[in-house]
Amino acid sequence: MKLRCMAICCLLILNLSRCDGSVSVGATAVGLAGAALYAGFDKLRCTFYECCSNNANWVKPNMTALNIALEAQLHGQHLVRHVVSRALKAHLQNDNPSKALVMSFHGWTGGGKNYVSKFIAENMYKLGTKSQYVHVFVSTVDFPHEGKVDIYKLNLQDWIRGNVSRCERSLFIFDEIDKMPLGMINGIKPFIDYHESINGVDFRKSIFIFLSNTGGPDITRAMLKMWRSGKNREDISMVDLEHLTQLGAFNEEGGLHKSEIIQHSLVDHYIPFLPLERRHIELCARDEIIRRGHKATKDLIKKVADEMMYFPPENKLFSTTGCKRISQKVGFLLADEEYNRLFD
């Protein structure tokens, strides 16, 4: 539609110029009018269709709403709440950042890595995860073959370059990066490095998020050690765990293993997701029961928490799957209660 509108303007000018062999003052006026018409059309289009214009409301980060969502719905992850909101705010408020923001989320499954990524998308874009400026890659789906690393790299580079040229505030989420073919992630290095532009495209306002299970064992061992020493969970700081997270990402097998982006210090924040305790599982169960429109009684919450598995065996401190299976457990128990009510 943009091209059609521009073509109409050009045809008007050309037709006027054929009258006397030169572009008249009238043709110039028509050209200006056409440009104004096009600008008005573009503004009108952005009212109904998603666009990246600064004057539109499609890309409008809301850090207050993000903080509220993280505080209310992300349980047991005080480090995540502290770092993510501040990192995003600092990056988004900078009109001339030195590089793209890169955050790497690490920890056991079910700790909330995908959850936080969804909250970020929902509070940056009006359409949330459905926005055309949010791009999610799942390694086992999008990059399944080890022997196609070079092809994947080229396709990924083209995809990132094309999308950032359309919207500099693009969000790229790489899920299961620990299952990505070795060396492939190095393909994005130019886009997250300290370059003002690459072939005329500025990548510095874009955001990259990596989701990985690497570092989980080291984080858990450190947590157990601190718990046994009597340290409160909420007193654990980034200083206690960030270096373990970075070492795990670099040394453990997976997409970040000995990668150039780690060697060149291009990841801005390594964020550990702590293993969840039973009390956090109960909070997740409560949220899910309420979300389904049921009353979250203590008995029902306890039943859900009892259905989960915990480790280590001697004290069963942490959930083996975090809150990942809560939805299924809640659904089953609610259906079971309904069945008993109808047929007992």
Side-chain angles (χ1 to χ4, degrees), residues 4-21:
R4 186 183 301 171
C5 190
M6 292 175 69
I8 291 172
C9 295
C10 291
L11 285 172
L12 285 171
I13 294 173
L14 286 172
N15 286 335
L16 286 170
S17 68
R18 289 194 186 106
C19 295
D20 59 3

Side-chain angles (χ1 to χ4, degrees), residues 249-279:
F250 187 72
N251 293 319
E252 290 183 33
E253 291 298 325
L256 292 172
H257 180 64
K258 300 190 183 303
S259 66
E260 292 180 7
I261 63 174
I262 294 181
Q263 289 177 328
H264 290 81
S265 301
L266 297 179
V267 177
D268 301 296
H269 304 279
Y270 294 90
I271 304 176
F273 281 67
L274 311 182
L276 299 182
E277 301 172 19
R278 182 185 173 102
R279 56 188 169 120

Side-chain angles (χ1 to χ4, degrees), residues 290-322:
I290 294 173
R291 189 188 70 81
R292 290 171 179 260
H294 292 263
K295 185 177 180 180
T297 64
K298 289 183 178 180
D299 183 57
L300 183 54
I301 291 172
K302 182 179 182 301
K303 283 183 180 179
V304 176
D306 287 344
E307 288 282 318
M308 306 298 285
M309 297 181 65
Y310 302 89
F311 73 98
E314 62 271 19
N315 52 39
K316 295 184 177 181
L317 180 62
F318 302 125
S319 168
T320 58
T321 55

Side-chain angles (χ1 to χ4, degrees), residues 186-203:
N186 292 330
I188 74 167
K189 179 182 176 293
F191 309 129
I192 62 176
D193 212 333
Y194 293 84
H195 302 300
E196 289 190 5
S197 67
I198 299 174
N199 296 327
V201 180
D202 187 351
F203 297 89

Side-chain angles (χ1 to χ4, degrees), residues 157-221:
Q157 288 175 342
D158 287 342
W159 180 262
I160 292 174
R161 187 183 298 109
N163 281 285
V164 174
S165 66
R166 291 170 56 221
C167 185
E168 60 186 6
R169 287 294 187 194
S170 292
L171 173 63
F172 300 93
I173 301 170
F174 293 85
D175 195 6
E176 298 183 340
I177 199 168
D178 48 307
K179 297 178 178 64
M180 183 180 284
L182 191 64
M184 188 197 146
I185 196 63
N186 292 330
I188 74 167
K189 179 182 176 293
F191 309 129
I192 62 176
D193 212 333
Y194 293 84
H195 302 300
E196 289 190 5
S197 67
I198 299 174
N199 296 327
V201 180
D202 187 351
F203 297 89
R204 295 176 298 168
K205 290 186 178 180
S206 54
I207 298 171
F208 293 78
I209 300 176
F210 305 147
L211 314 182
S212 173
N213 290 338
T214 57
D218 291 331
I219 293 169
T220 301
R221 280 191 287 269

Side-chain angles (χ1 to χ4, degrees), residues 29-69:
V30 170
L32 293 172
L37 179 65
Y38 172 72
F41 165 78
D42 198 50
K43 184 176 181 179
L44 180 64
R45 182 183 65 84
C46 289
T47 303
F48 300 100
Y49 299 98
E50 186 180 31
C51 62
C52 197
S53 169
N54 290 330
N55 298 321
N57 290 319
W58 298 98
V59 183
K60 193 173 183 180
N62 188 336
M63 291 298 99
T64 300
L66 175 62
N67 287 332
I68 292 172

